């Protein structure tokens, strides 16, 4: 069976003249840099949720030592999360052709017989399966999340988080073993290596290796150009053809910018948000205060120019928000500027993730953090969180809670 040319276990089955150490090494070195950046920016994105602050922010149970790097996410610069998560998503999509080309170039190794010649060889084969499977899993779940297509079982956050650690651990071990050889192959342009990647009976070439590299690079460039606009916003958004939030801004007027959840999706009942029914409940050290929207509008109002940036990699342009500072609301229940506190935010939203969220004291204390009542000079629309929403600089979009009903200040 091993030598039957019609079976993938036979070296004669794989006849492409492109395969070889040089070709594989080029893609491997690109992925070495790209995957490392993806892993680091993925950890940064996880830290931005302040997962140690409150269980509602963290749907990744029992992370243990995997949370060793976590830090208090800063409230500035305002574009921080837009940049880090935009880089993470755009780079991940851009690397898809490179990943597929790399896997194609080494696929004969996955069918090599015997499966294990020794214990060391068996461990190497297992690591390859983890490497290939982990890479496909991380890229696939990432793309599905960007496309808002949650067909995978369970929550995206723990799946992607634990998958990233497994994949990157195997990736690092593989890189330590293979990078020196890859660097030598690329530096000396070894094109006719005597190894098991080179077909013993190559077919006539239909494209040169340089042409194949241009094809993969062109595919990556095309994905980059049709994705990056969702992070840049403005006129570039029209180029984000593959992004759910690409294209022109939805609707018109001051509220005509991207949203993830509509009021209808969140189950918001207009009878609850009307002037007679809705009250903001603020709780803290000195008790509880209930405020109508008219009372909030009568308080000192402040403005902030801030974007909304989401884990799917999309962001809005900077919008002009106006409302009451979170630290001023904290002052109503016994906390002054010199005593900043965390806040637990609860929404009228009835279903879906992040109906509740927690913000750190440094975010509450920042003067740009608002309970927004208007945007771009007009009342918030129902889809943008009327009667009030949180807007915080540099925070992931889901922490900018809409349809706010209660704020609880204190040490979380």
């Amino acid at each position: 069976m091993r030598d039957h040319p019609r079976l993938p276990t036979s070296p004669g089955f794989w006849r492409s003249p492109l395969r070889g150490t040089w070709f594989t090494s080029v893609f491997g070195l690109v992925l070495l840099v790209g995957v490392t950046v993806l892993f680091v920016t993925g950890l940064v994105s996880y830290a931005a949720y302040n997962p140690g602050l409150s269980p509602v922010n963290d749907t990744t149970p029992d992370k243990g030592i995997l949370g060793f790097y976590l830090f208090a996410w800063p409230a500035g610069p305002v574009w921080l999360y837009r940049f880090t998560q935009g880089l993470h998503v755009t780079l991940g999509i851009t690397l898809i052709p490179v990943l597929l080309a790399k896997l194609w170039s080494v696929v004969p190794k996955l069918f090599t017989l015997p499966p294990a010649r020794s214990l060391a060889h068996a461990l190497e084969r297992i690591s390859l399966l983890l490497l290939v499977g982990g890479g496909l899993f991380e890229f696939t779940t990432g793309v599905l999340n960007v496309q808002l297509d949650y067909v995978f079982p369970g929550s995206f956050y723990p799946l992607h988080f634990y998958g990233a650690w497994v994949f990157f651990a195997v990736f690092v071990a593989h890189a330590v073993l293979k990078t020196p050889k890859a660097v030598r192959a690329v530096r000396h342009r070894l094109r006719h290596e005597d190894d098991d990647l080179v077909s013993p009976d190559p077919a006539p070439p239909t494209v040169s290796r340089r042409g194949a590299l241009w094809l993969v690079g062109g595919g990556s460039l095309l994905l980059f150009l049709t994705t990056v606009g969702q992070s840049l916003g403005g006129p570039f958004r029209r180029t984000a053809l593959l992004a759910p939030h690409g294209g022109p801004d939805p609707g018109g007027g001051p509220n005509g910018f991207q949203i993830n959840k509509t009021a209808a999706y969140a189950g918001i009942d207009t009878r609850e948000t009307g002037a007679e029914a809705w009250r903001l409940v603020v709780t803290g050290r000195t008790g509880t205060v209930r405020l109508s929207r008219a009372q909030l509008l009568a308080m000192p109002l402040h403005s902030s120019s801030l974007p909304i940036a989401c884990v799917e990699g999309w962001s809005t342009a900077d919008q002009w928000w106006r409302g009451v500072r979170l630290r001023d609301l904290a002052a109503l229940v016994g906390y002054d500027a010199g005593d900043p506190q965390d806040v637990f935010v609860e929404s009228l939203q009835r279903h879906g993730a992040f109906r509740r969220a927690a913000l750190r004291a440094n975010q509450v204390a920042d003067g740009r953090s608002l309970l927004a009542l208007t945007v771009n000079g007009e009342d918030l629309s129902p889809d943008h969180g009327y009667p009030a929403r949180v807007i915080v600089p540099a925070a992931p979009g889901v922490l900018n809670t809409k349809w706010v009903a209660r704020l609880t200040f204190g040490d979380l």
Side-chain angles (χ1 to χ4, degrees):
M1 290 180 62
R2 181 180 177 183
D3 298 321
H4 196 295
R6 293 186 178 180
L7 296 176
T9 52
S10 169
F13 181 85
W14 309 99
R15 300 189 61 203
S16 173
L18 296 177
R19 288 191 177 92
T21 301
W22 180 84
F23 191 69
T24 299
S25 297
V26 171
F27 297 125
L29 292 176
V30 172
L31 289 173
L32 176 64
V33 176
V35 168
T36 301
V37 174
L38 286 179
F39 183 69
V40 172
T41 52
L43 295 185
V44 165
S45 177
Y46 183 60
Y49 283 79
N50 291 320
L53 182 61
S54 172
V56 300
N57 282 14
D58 188 5
T59 57
T60 308
D62 303 321
K63 59 182 176 293
I65 61 172
L66 298 183
F68 72 91
Y69 67 93
L70 294 174
F71 55 93
W73 186 250
V78 298
W79 45 262
L80 180 61
Y81 191 73
R82 174 164 59 183
F83 171 74
T84 59
Q85 192 60 14
L87 175 61
H88 181 78
V89 170
T90 302
L91 179 61
I93 292 176
T94 300
L95 285 176
I96 288 175
V98 181
L99 175 69
L100 295 178
K102 165 72 173 176
L103 294 179
W104 174 87
S105 72
V106 298
V107 71
K109 285 192 172 185
L110 299 179
F111 294 91
T112 302
L113 293 178
R117 295 189 295 268
S118 64
L119 177 60
H121 184 242
L123 292 175
E124 180 185 2
R125 295 295 295 275
I126 292 172
S127 71
L128 283 177
L129 288 176
L130 288 173
L131 184 67
V132 173
L136 291 175
F137 177 82
E138 284 300 288
F139 277 80
T140 300
T141 55
V143 169
L144 289 173
N145 184 65
V146 169
Q147 294 297 323
L148 310 178
D149 193 359
Y150 305 111
V151 296
F152 38 79
S155 170
F156 166 77
Y157 299 95
L159 289 173
H160 206 64
F161 178 79
Y162 288 123
W165 277 105
V166 172
F167 168 60
F168 195 70
V170 180
F171 179 81
V172 169
H174 184 78
V176 169
L177 294 174
K178 299 296 185 180
T179 297
K181 180 179 180 181
V183 171
R184 288 195 302 271
V186 172
R187 180 178 296 171
H188 300 294
R189 299 186 67 79
L190 301 179
R191 294 174 179 270
H192 302 288
E193 305 83 1
D194 184 19
D195 61 31
D196 52 1
L197 288 179
V198 176
S199 173
D201 181 26
T206 56
V207 63
S208 67
R209 285 183 173 176
R210 178 174 294 181
L213 290 178
W214 276 107
L215 178 64
V216 174
S220 289
L221 179 61
L222 179 62
L223 288 176
F224 173 81
L225 293 176
T226 52
T227 301
V228 69
Q230 69 168 348
S231 300
L232 297 177
F236 299 101
R237 187 176 299 280
R238 295 179 181 274
T239 68
L241 302 177
L242 301 182
H245 291 88
D249 292 340
N255 280 273
F257 55 95
Q258 279 70 21
I259 57 171
N260 241 7
K261 298 174 184 174
T262 64
Y265 170 85
I268 303 302
D269 190 334
T270 56
R271 291 173 294 184
E272 296 178 287
T273 59
E276 296 299 322
W278 183 83
R279 295 294 184 270
L280 174 70
V281 179
V282 184
T283 302
R285 177 186 293 156
T286 58
T288 298
V289 175
R290 294 171 61 86
L291 300 167
S292 67
R293 197 167 190 277
Q295 289 172 311
L296 288 168
L297 288 167
M299 292 179 65
L301 300 181
H302 300 270
S303 298
S304 297
S305 181
L306 302 173
I308 297 174
C310 283
V311 68
E312 295 92 0
W314 66 271
S315 63
T316 70
D318 290 359
Q319 309 296 325
W320 196 253
W321 307 90
R322 190 163 177 80
V324 182
R325 286 174 173 168
L326 292 182
R327 68 189 190 195
D328 292 343
L329 291 168
L332 293 178
V333 288
Y335 302 105
D336 57 34
D339 185 25
Q341 295 292 313
D342 306 328
V343 64
F344 183 63
V345 186
E346 298 175 77
S347 172
L348 293 173
Q349 180 180 335
R350 281 180 165 73
H351 55 81
F354 291 97
R355 300 185 299 274
R356 298 166 292 174
L359 298 170
R360 284 194 181 275
N362 67 301
Q363 294 172 311
V364 173
D366 192 285
R368 296 165 296 185
S369 297
L370 304 175
L371 181 73
L373 305 170
T374 68
V375 62
N376 300 322
E378 186 176 279
D379 286 348
L380 296 169
S381 69
D383 287 343
H384 280 298
Y386 182 88
R389 69 171 297 162
V390 165
I391 187 73
V392 176
V398 292
L399 298 186
N400 294 310
T401 309
K402 298 192 285 188
W403 313 292
V404 174
R406 179 183 291 268
L407 300 173
T408 304
F409 292 92
D411 186 6
L412 300 179

